[in-house]
Amino acid sequence: MSHDLIVIGTGPGGYVCAIRAAQLGMKVAVVEKRATHGGTCLNVGCIPSKALLHASEAYAEAGHALGFMGIKVKPELDLAAMLAFKDDGVKGNVDGVAFLLKKNKIDHFHGSGRILGPGKVEVTFINGEKQEIEAAKAIVIATGSEVVKLPGIAIDEKRVVSSTGALSLPHVPKRMAVIGAGYIGLELGSVWSRLGSQVTVVEMLDRITPGLDAEVARHLQRVLEKQGIAFKLGTKVTGVDAKGKSLKLTLEPAAGGKSETLDTDVLLVAVGRVPNTEGLGLAKAGIKTDERGRIQVDRRYETSVPGVYAIGDVISGPMLAHKAEEEGVAVAELLAGQAGHVNYDAIPSVIYTAPEVASVGKSEEELKEAGVEYKIGKFPFTANGRARVNRTTEGFVKVLADAHTDRVLGVHIVGADAGTMIAEAAVLMEFGGSAEDLARTCHAHPTLNEAVKEAALAVDKRPIHM
């Protein structure tokens, strides 16, 4: 059977690329080594973690916040049922992707893909059998990423877990240590903290969430500390003793100094992710990678081998599902002779803690480093009517605009539902909008989004409600 396009990997980038290509009239095949589609994101990443974040937030709210609204309840945790709630959500999503592939008449091969050369992929099925399939137009690599493993720390997914194991712990640990203060460590640490675990986050840098606007990161850390999460910054883990009932972590200052011991029941290793390219046969096929193992591509996402493309976590850029989706659509449209394009200056990112943190565009630090003159507009949720009545006043909106043109260069939000609110900033920036444009756009009242409008007004020092 001949195909126009073969996509290896059916995570958000891969399955979206396949569907868009099918919409454009191509005959498409996908190769997926998992038994289910959706990649890390739907199976053991974005979707299950958000289910547990939502459920644990509801549990915490029932125990601490509902009383203020006149709702008296005493919540009881049924962890097995909560995990089943998570698994049911995952099944619904992966089944949905399978349906979409079938609806778009996309052939699927469940096995590991290896590139033999331009237009040729060898699929190795679970039973060991092999089959060669061909593509007349292109091959797209969309195999995503996998967790970074630390030397000397063996992950057994029971006591020493990756993000995958942290989604299925059978009991709430009395103590949990998290290595890494990025979004994965903070989100999953928040889940188990709300369910009753004493969580300590160990980070080698002197700040949390590297890459996030520094002011926003400092505020987030203060909020999480108030929620009971402890931080050991500028600290590295040099050893883990797993012989006893508890794990004993040896910690040392990153800059050097006296070591200390931290006892914990579960250790979550969340120090980042690396491209998942093992077994693809990149070197033999002549596909070049950089010093970090990322596949090198040109502006059309084509690799060093003509007809072979790559998108998502396996190439440079933020490891975000929606970034991979946009690249998947762009590649499909480019292959169809259209003008596929991704604006990397308008890709939002969200940390799904409580409150959420959302950003799009540049941070203050990036603008300073680039020598760009900018103006700042800030507005706190304490001055927002909807936030006050809902008792969700933690956080603020921060708008960064060019000092000369007023064009919005970055927006950063700490607050309830920040991940939804950031969308209007992304739309504005996609069209090169100014702070004045945002400030003069009518926002419904009472909504949290009014804080975005007020922050835009504050760029010109004229907020109404502050």
Side-chain angles (χ1 to χ4, degrees):
M1 184 184 296
S2 62
H3 298 90
D4 297 309
L5 172 66
I6 298 171
V7 180
I8 305 176
T10 57
Y15 82 75
V16 167
C17 179
I19 289 171
R20 183 65 183 125
Q23 289 175 343
L24 292 167
M26 289 180 235
K27 180 61 179 172
V28 184
V30 294
V31 179
E32 173 55 57
K33 66 181 180 181
R34 275 192 173 91
T36 54
H37 298 294
T40 294
C41 179
L42 271 65
N43 287 275
V44 291
C46 321
I47 295 300
S49 65
K50 301 314 164 284
L52 288 183
L53 282 159
H54 175 66
S56 64
E57 284 174 29
Y59 175 74
E61 185 176 28
H64 304 292
L66 292 187
F68 291 113
M69 305 179 207
I71 305 169
K72 295 183 179 181
V73 294
K74 188 175 181 180
E76 180 182 341
L77 177 63
D78 183 341
L79 182 58
M82 187 177 286
L83 295 177
F85 164 80
K86 177 257 300 180
D87 293 339
D88 186 59
V90 169
K91 185 178 186 305
N93 275 276
V94 299
D95 286 352
V97 172
F99 167 79
L100 290 172
L101 294 175
K102 183 178 180 181
K103 174 190 171 186
N104 286 279
K105 297 179 173 56
I106 296 167
D107 296 324
H108 58 93
F109 297 83
H110 282 290
S112 299
R114 184 167 69 92
I115 298 169
L116 301 178
K120 294 184 179 181
V121 174
E122 181 186 75
V123 182
T124 302
F125 300 101
I126 296 173
N127 61 8
E129 292 182 6
K130 299 179 187 293
Q131 180 180 346
E132 187 176 312
I133 55 177
E134 296 186 1
K137 277 183 178 288
I139 297 167
V140 174
I141 301 170
T143 47
S145 59
E146 59 184 357
V147 297
V148 172
K149 298 177 178 64
L150 291 176
I153 300 179
I155 294 175
D156 60 12
E157 300 296 14
K158 293 178 181 178
R159 291 202 297 167
V160 181
V161 299
S162 68
S163 55
T164 299
L167 294 168
S168 302
L169 296 177
H171 307 286
V172 178
K174 184 178 179 182
R175 299 161 299 182
M176 170 181 275
V178 179
I179 305 178
Y183 72 95
I184 295 174
L186 297 183
E187 287 180 7
L188 292 174
S190 292
V191 166
W192 294 104
S193 174
R194 284 193 285 265
L195 297 181
S197 187
Q198 181 183 327
V199 175
T200 301
V201 178
V202 182
E203 169 59 53
M204 192 158 68
L205 300 178
D206 60 0
R207 54 161 293 175
I208 70 170
T209 55
L212 191 67
D213 185 275
E215 180 184 19
V216 174
R218 289 192 297 270
H219 187 91
L220 176 61
Q221 183 180 337
R222 288 195 297 269
V223 172
L224 295 177
E225 285 174 335
K226 283 195 292 184
Q227 293 175 3
I229 296 178
F231 290 89
K232 289 184 175 293
L233 303 181
T235 304
K236 60 183 178 180
V237 178
T238 59
V240 178
D241 184 351
K243 297 187 186 74
K245 286 187 176 181
S246 67
L247 300 168
K248 293 188 181 298
L249 278 58
T250 302
L251 310 180
E252 290 183 8
K258 188 177 179 181
S259 66
E260 61 176 307
T261 300
L262 175 67
D263 284 359
T264 189
D265 300 299
V266 170
L267 172 63
L268 166 59
V269 180
V271 292
R273 301 183 65 84
V274 291
N276 183 20
T277 58
E278 187 178 352
L280 287 173
L282 299 184
K284 193 170 183 180
I287 298 171
K288 295 180 180 178
T289 58
D290 65 16
E291 71 284 352
R292 295 171 61 180
R294 300 174 300 191
I295 297 173
Q296 294 182 329
V297 295
D298 61 18
R299 62 184 182 84
R300 292 173 55 86
Y301 304 100
E302 194 166 21
T303 70
S304 53
V305 174
V308 180
Y309 298 76
I311 60 171
D313 288 4
V314 294
I315 67 173
S316 63
M319 289 184 170
L320 298 169
H322 43 283
K323 176 257 198 186
E325 289 184 19
E326 295 303 312
E327 291 174 341
V329 169
V331 166
E333 292 179 348
L334 287 166
L335 290 172
Q338 298 184 6
H341 172 70
V342 179
N343 180 2
Y344 290 98
D345 290 327
I347 295 179
S349 63
V350 185
I351 304 172
Y352 294 92
T353 47
E356 293 179 351
V357 179
S359 299
V360 63
K362 303 297 184 183
S363 66
E364 275 202 72
E365 292 68 39
E366 288 173 324
L367 294 177
K368 287 175 181 175
E369 187 177 345
V372 176
E373 293 183 41
Y374 62 93
K375 297 181 291 184
I376 304 173
K378 281 176 60 179
F379 191 81
F381 283 106
T382 51
N384 174 269
R386 184 66 181 273
R388 291 183 72 172
V389 75
N390 286 359
R391 291 190 179 233
T392 55
T393 55
E394 191 68 71
F396 58 88
V397 180
K398 178 179 183 178
V399 175
L400 305 173
D402 189 286
H404 303 289
T405 67
D406 198 41
R407 183 172 179 169
V408 173
L409 303 174
V411 177
H412 307 272
I413 306 174
V414 185
D417 214 19
T420 300
M421 285 189 283
I422 201 66
E424 71 167 305
V427 171
L428 178 92
M429 292 174 65
E430 187 67 38
F431 289 92
S434 66
E436 179 76 4
D437 292 327
L438 191 53
R440 290 195 177 275
T441 300
C442 184
H443 286 63
H445 174 79
T447 61
L448 298 176
N449 293 67
E450 289 176 285
V452 178
K453 174 186 175 82
E454 293 273 5
L457 284 165
V459 169
D460 196 36
K461 297 182 171 55
R462 54 190 177 98
I464 301 297
H465 292 92
M466 184 177 66

